[in-house]
């Protein structure tokens, strides 16, 4: 009797069952990663992923090895070791003229990607909108969508990828919280000019928006182009969140050492979410990077830019010889190239199909341009990375020239 009474009161709760989240089916593997896997499968030369496999500066590598030997292998403070935070602050003041408090305004992050994720979690709510510029870096879009934040693309005008401020104003709604600027940019290599950044700053102040700036390629600048951080403009220090890192500069993409510079009023929340996601950036690598920031100055950065300018010219010439029309970048280390002149040479109607056709014919991996645009755009473009060892880049150029 008692047992039957208990059983009668049992309520069987049924959930949704073993299914993916609502978000997961809408997310797809990065085309960059997909092409890297395909390149490895066929033993190709990978110009798809920005792995930056040039040599690590000796001082950086030796300091990291020394840190491991010296026992710096446990958690650091959530905002990173004091030595690196001070080095970042000093470099920022020396090279950009911006005074930064290393105790309250610098966070050492798990790469610039980790920095961006923590920043977005701290500042945005589901349904908020963030403006970014097309062609855009796909991970920016994917990270925002993963947090139910809406990325709103504002088209740049080819071939110079110029900025139309009227388009920016037209894209702003009551839900807009921020403008995201990647300068120099991936994939176009665009370096935003002072005039463009001042125009964006005026809009940010007018509509009370944050400006998030990804400056990971700040030292890869060519010709007469100049890098300028929006945070240095009048009235922008409080509302600008600077994200950068050392993966590209020191050729340590696998180390995951980035950073955030932000006003102290935002940094507490940003640091909390970075701690929640990553605990801290890898400890011994922080010491290696700190040594590099301390000891490698303007001469190193100028040499880095000059070296990659030579690599840029090498690949631009090869792409032209192969029948493509490259957009010559002012910064970063990527080239977007039109395949319009290769009809009948590369098979496929989409950029993804053309990228795979190029890999099959030459053994050179590139990324579909459509990965950096809204659906239906960028289908005649491929992106190539030239941050490679000279012998690998030369081999890729030789193979590309064999396409014709």
């Amino acid at each position: 009797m008692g047992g039957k009474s208990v059983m009668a009161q049992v309520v069987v709760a049924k959930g949704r069952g073993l299914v993916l989240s609502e978000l997961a089916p809408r997310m797809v593997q990065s085309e960059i990663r997909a092409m890297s896997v395909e390149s490895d499968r066929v033993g190709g030369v990978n110009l798809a992923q920005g792995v930056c496999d040039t040599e690590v500066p000796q001082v950086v590598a030796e300091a990291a090895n020394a840190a491991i030997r010296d026992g710096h292998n446990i958690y650091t403070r959530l905002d990173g070791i004091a030595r690196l935070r001070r080095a970042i602050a000093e470099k920022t003041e020396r090279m950009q003229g911006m005074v930064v408090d290393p105790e309250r305004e610098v966070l050492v992050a798990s790469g610039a990607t980790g920095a961006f994720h923590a920043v977005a979690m701290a500042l945005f709510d589901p349904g908020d909108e963030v403006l970014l510029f097309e062609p855009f870096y796909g991970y920016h879009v994917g990270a925002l969508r993963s947090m139910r934040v809406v990325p709103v693309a504002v088209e740049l005008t080819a071939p110079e990828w110029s900025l139309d401020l009227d388009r920016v104003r037209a894209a702003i709604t009551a839900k807009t919280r921020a403008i995201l600027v990647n300068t120099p940019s991936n994939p176009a290599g665009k370096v935003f000019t002072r005039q463009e950044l001042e125009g964006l700053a005026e809009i940010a102040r007018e509509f009370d928006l944050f400006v998030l700036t990804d400056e990971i390629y700040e030292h890869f600048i060519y010709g007469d182009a100049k890098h300028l951080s929006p945070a240095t403009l009048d009235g922008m220090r409080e509302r600008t969140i600077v994200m950068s890192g050392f993966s590209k500069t020191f050729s340590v993409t696998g180390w995951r050492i980035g950073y955030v510079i932000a006003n102290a009023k935002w940094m507490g929340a940003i640091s909390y979410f970075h701690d929640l996601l990553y605990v801290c950036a890898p400890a011994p690598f922080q010491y290696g990077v700190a040594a590099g920031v301390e000891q490698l100055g303007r001469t190193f950065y100028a040499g880095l830019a000059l070296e990659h300018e030579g690599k840029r010219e090498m690949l631009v010439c090869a792409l032209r010889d192969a029948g493509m029309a490259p957009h010559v970048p002012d910064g970063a280390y990527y080239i977007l190239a039109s395949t319009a002149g290769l009809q009948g040479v590369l098979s496929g109607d989409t950029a993804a199909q053309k990228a795979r056709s190029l890999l099959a014919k030459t053994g050179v991996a590139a990324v579909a341009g459509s990965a950096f645009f809204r659906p239906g755009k960028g289908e005649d473009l491929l992106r190539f990375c030239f941050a490679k060892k000279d012998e690998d880049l030369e081999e890729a150029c030789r193979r590309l020239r064999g396409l014709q």
Side-chain angles (χ1 to χ4, degrees), residues 127-132 149-154 166-179 203-204 206-210:
D128 284 347
E129 296 176 355
V130 174
L131 271 54
L132 43 71
V149 178
V150 181
V152 177
V154 177
D166 288 336
R167 288 179 182 168
V168 178
R169 289 181 176 277
I172 294 173
T173 72
K175 295 182 179 180
T176 306
R177 293 291 313 287
I179 301 171
I203 291 173
E206 178 182 347
F207 291 93
D208 201 19
L209 306 176
F210 284 107

Side-chain angles (χ1 to χ4, degrees), residues 252-288:
V252 289
T253 54
W255 287 18
R256 315 313 304 139
I257 304 293
Y259 64 87
V260 179
I261 294 175
N263 187 283
K265 68 171 65 176
W266 319 124
M267 190 56 85
I270 296 169
S271 297
Y272 169 81
F273 284 109
H274 186 269
D275 179 35
L276 186 67
L277 291 166
Y278 305 103
V279 181
C280 65
F285 297 149
Q286 292 190 47
Y287 286 88

Side-chain angles (χ1 to χ4, degrees), residues 28-45:
V28 297
Q29 172 63 46
S30 157
E31 186 67 11
I32 299 171
R33 294 285 186 267
M35 286 305 299
S36 293
V37 170
E38 189 64 15
S39 179
D40 288 345
R41 187 183 70 81
V42 302
V45 181

Side-chain angles (χ1 to χ4, degrees), residues 106-243:
V106 179
L107 165 72
V108 178
S110 186
T113 302
F116 179 59
H117 205 150
V119 166
M121 290 184 75
L123 301 184
F124 308 134
D125 294 317
D128 284 347
E129 296 176 355
V130 174
L131 271 54
L132 43 71
F133 299 101
E134 183 185 62
F136 45 69
Y137 178 45
Y139 271 50
H140 289 152
V141 170
L144 291 172
R145 286 177 176 164
S146 75
M147 289 171 274
R148 274 75 172 183
V149 178
V150 181
V152 177
V154 177
E155 182 182 8
L156 299 174
T157 304
E160 301 300 326
W161 308 114
S162 55
L163 173 66
D164 185 336
L165 293 172
D166 288 336
R167 288 179 182 168
V168 178
R169 289 181 176 277
I172 294 173
T173 72
K175 295 182 179 180
T176 306
R177 293 291 313 287
I179 301 171
L180 172 59
V181 182
N182 180 201
T183 183
S185 79
N186 176 7
K190 174 181 173 57
V191 178
F192 283 74
T193 66
R194 174 178 286 276
Q195 183 178 7
E196 288 173 331
L197 292 175
E198 287 178 343
L200 289 175
E202 181 180 346
I203 291 173
R205 291 191 296 267
E206 178 182 347
F207 291 93
D208 201 19
L209 306 176
F210 284 107
V211 172
L212 277 54
T213 174
D214 183 340
E215 302 179 23
I216 191 71
Y217 300 102
E218 63 182 301
H219 297 299
F220 297 86
I221 299 286
Y222 314 119
D224 296 328
K226 303 290 184 185
H227 172 67
L228 178 68
S229 175
T232 64
L233 299 177
D234 290 344
M236 292 301 292
R237 181 72 167 78
E238 180 181 356
R239 68 178 66 250
T240 302
I241 314 294
V242 177
M243 300 168 291

Side-chain angles (χ1 to χ4, degrees), residues 8 12 19 22 56 72 179 181 233 269 294 395:
V12 179
V19 297
E22 179 187 282
V56 179
H72 296 297
I179 301 171
V181 182
L233 299 177
E294 290 165 350
E395 175 61 17

